[in-house]
Amino acid sequence: MTPSAPTVEHNAARHRYEIHVDGERAGLTAYLDCGDQRVFHHTEVDDAYAGQGLAARLVQGALTDVRASGKRVVPVCPYVAKFLERHEEFADLADPVTPDVLEWLESRLG
Ligand SMILES: CC(C)(COP(=O)(O)OP(=O)(O)OC[C@H]1O[C@@H](n2cnc3c(N)ncnc32)[C@H](O)[C@@H]1OP(=O)(O)O)[C@@H](O)C(=O)NCCC(=O)NCCS
């Protein structure tokens, strides 16, 4: 059987985007919304799927959805920050990581 292409889904109830491969969840990127800013704070891909570019596909799908929703992106997650540095097509969506955002995030994540 030919493997199906990975799909990115928005799991709004759990504040995250997930990437699925052949029906299995392979990774996620998690966020919290602060007004019109979507603050991405953590990305992970399961070890079994590492190094295949899945995190990049996941973040690309997530940022495309953020653009469609008219929100901004705050890349607290180092992986998302690195992705934004390498993909200028998303640069217009990015807001800086400020001490205020970090304090807000810490208070929300506990
Ligand atoms: C980081 C992670 C999500 C990458 O998943 P992946 O699907 O293997 O990633 P991709 O194949 O799309 O990209 C690999 C790139 O991620 C980079 N990377 C790995 N860990 C990173 C990190 N902590 N911060 C930024 N970039 C990272 C690698 O250096 C590699 O860069 P390259 O393209 O220059 O070689 C995965 O290794 C992971 O879950 N790590 C543990 C959790 C973590 O550290 N998350 C990031 C901070 S929240």
Side-chain angles (χ1 to χ4, degrees):
M1 197 173 79
T2 313
S4 56
T7 56
V8 176
E9 288 164 25
H10 186 191
N11 185 339
R14 302 192 73 176
H15 309 286
R16 65 200 202 187
Y17 294 84
E18 300 171 347
I19 189 161
H20 295 258
V21 177
D22 293 331
E24 298 287 331
R25 199 193 74 204
L28 62 91
T29 185
Y31 67 83
L32 288 172
D33 282 339
C34 181
D36 72 343
Q37 291 181 318
R38 188 150 284 179
V39 182
F40 286 87
H41 59 85
H42 180 67
T43 304
E44 66 185 46
V45 165
D46 293 353
D47 286 348
Y49 300 94
Q52 301 174 26
L54 287 183
R57 290 181 84 135
L58 169 62
V59 171
Q60 176 152 30
L63 299 188
T64 300
D65 183 74
V66 173
R67 185 188 293 291
S69 70
K71 289 184 177 293
R72 313 278 308 156
V73 170
V74 183
V76 175
C77 165
Y79 185 87
V80 176
K82 190 165 154 185
F83 182 94
L84 279 165
E85 280 169 23
R86 292 179 173 187
H87 293 83
E88 285 186 2
E89 66 272 26
F90 290 109
D92 60 304
L93 289 183
D95 281 347
V97 178
T98 63
D100 282 352
V101 170
L102 291 177
E103 196 177 322
W104 172 86
L105 187 63
E106 200 176 316
S107 73
R108 291 291 308 274
L109 293 176

